[in-house]
Amino acid sequence: MQNAGMAALGLDWRYVACDVPPTRLREAIEGAKAMHFVGLNLTVPHKLLAMEFVDEVAPSAREWGAVNTVVFESRDAEGQWRPLGQLEKPEGPVRSVGHNTDADAIVRSLRDDLAIEPRGARILLLGAGGAARAAALRLADEGVAGLWIVNRTQAKAEDLAGEINDRFPAVHAEAGYPDESIEILLNATSAGLRPDDPLPLDLGMYPINRVDGVYDMVYRPAVTPLLAAARAAGCRVANGLGMLLHQGADALELWSGKAAPRDVMRAALEHEVHG
Ligand code: ATR
């Protein structure tokens, strides 16, 4: 996806995947900085840890509590910090800036791929880990009407609902299943990645036909057991491929300062992930 996007923009950059244990994350970020990398993406389990290891935390990462994109910056001729990818020749010190592009990506993907407007919607959120927390905070900020949070570990759902109530008093947030129909069911647990995983939703507790659209952040397999059940019940469905696309496209825009070619990136992503 990124290499296709960079090629379409005429950038002579390469995107490579590196396996880094969490104990070496600080050194890895410092090493990339020393080598004048343009930037980094981080995924599980680095997104929370990286908050401590970047030189600057951008508002998006501070707001949603996680870093998935690092931009390396240096000063331009006027002394302003600019992304390395947008400077002719980096001079002087380089700094790392941590951003979050995941949170905006979920809102955009719900709107585009599920064709449901999050603002004013009632949402049942499955999960209360890092991905669920970023989504819940961003959706509350977007102005959803209600957020019901269900998690295997109930205490974490209660903590997250409490945090939403504190930070966004206009949003109704509670741990547990709603007793009304809802617009969006959003799976932010990792259940569904393996074929023998249990459904992240107890269908006895909440019938899926009371939902307009079901979004699963899992994108491989393309049709998770949750999405199969939702489709059979007549719900609109979307997997997490759109979220993956938009977080990556937004990162490319931060590094390059150019509009990301999202159609090219989506085609490359679909080919790579689903064949
Ligand atoms: P991420 O950064 O991807 O959100 P995480 O913070 O480890 O990763 O969160 C994983 C989420 O998936 C949690 O909500 C977890 O539930 P617990 O808080 O009870 O651990 C949920 N999860 C993982 N495997 C699950 C399973 N088999 N069934 C239900 N929930 C599961």
Side-chain angles (χ1 to χ4, degrees):
M1 162 176 74
Q2 292 290 6
N3 283 320
M6 289 166 182
L9 289 179
L11 298 164
D12 64 345
W13 299 357
R14 288 292 179 277
Y15 191 90
V16 295
C18 304
D19 218 346
V20 176
T23 50
R24 311 299 296 275
L25 180 62
R26 185 195 296 270
E27 288 167 273
I29 294 174
E30 288 302 310
K33 187 206 284 185
M35 290 189 286
H36 289 185
F37 274 39
V38 165
L40 301 171
N41 279 137
L42 306 171
T43 189
V44 177
H46 297 310
K47 293 183 188 182
L48 300 179
L49 268 178
M51 296 280 288
E52 309 292 322
F53 298 158
V54 290
D55 300 322
E56 295 287 327
V57 177
S60 60
R62 192 173 316 120
E63 196 85 357
W64 319 124
V67 170
N68 77 313
T69 301
V70 177
V71 178
F72 293 107
E73 297 183 345
S74 186
R75 291 192 191 274
D76 63 14
E78 281 84 50
Q80 298 297 315
W81 287 106
R82 290 269 308 278
L84 283 189
Q86 299 170 42
L87 286 171
E88 278 298 312
K89 195 166 166 290
E91 298 206 31
V94 176
R95 69 176 188 177
S96 57
V97 184
H99 295 254
N100 183 302
T101 66
D102 284 333
D104 283 355
I106 183 64
V107 172
R108 184 163 181 165
S109 188
L110 287 173
R111 202 173 271 145
D112 290 2
D113 302 325
L114 213 48
I116 298 181
E117 172 55 48
R119 189 169 304 130
R122 289 162 299 185
I123 300 184
L124 171 54
L125 175 68
L126 308 177
R133 179 170 177 272
L137 293 170
R138 180 64 185 81
L139 287 165
D141 189 55
E142 190 67 20
V144 299
L147 265 177
W148 285 263
I149 303 167
V150 167
N151 192 46
R152 182 174 59 182
T153 312
Q154 163 86 1
K156 283 165 68 181
E158 283 165 7
D159 287 350
L160 182 54
E163 187 180 356
I164 301 284
N165 281 320
D166 288 345
R167 283 177 63 174
F168 301 94
V171 175
H172 172 92
E174 67 174 80
Y177 290 95
D179 48 23
E180 55 195 282
S181 296
I182 55 162
E183 282 75 39
I184 300 173
L185 170 69
L186 172 58
N187 177 40
T189 74
S190 39
L193 284 170
R194 284 177 303 266
D196 54 347
D197 276 346
L199 276 188
L201 171 73
D202 182 345
L203 295 176
M205 294 296 290
Y206 197 82
I208 208 160
N209 59 14
R210 296 185 70 188
V211 184
D212 290 342
V214 177
Y215 192 96
D216 200 333
M217 283 194 192
V218 175
Y219 54 84
R220 196 172 2 215
V223 183
T224 61
L226 175 67
L227 292 184
R231 198 184 259 173
C235 308
R236 260 180 277 171
V237 298
N239 66 28
L241 208 72
M243 185 181 170
L244 180 64
L245 166 70
H246 292 305
Q247 63 77 33
D250 288 356
L252 181 54
E253 292 185 347
L254 287 173
W255 298 321
S256 68
K258 298 171 195 266
R262 288 173 201 252
D263 291 346
V264 171
M265 295 174 77
R266 182 188 289 277
L269 187 59
E270 283 174 354
H271 178 73
E272 189 66 30
V273 175
H274 298 147

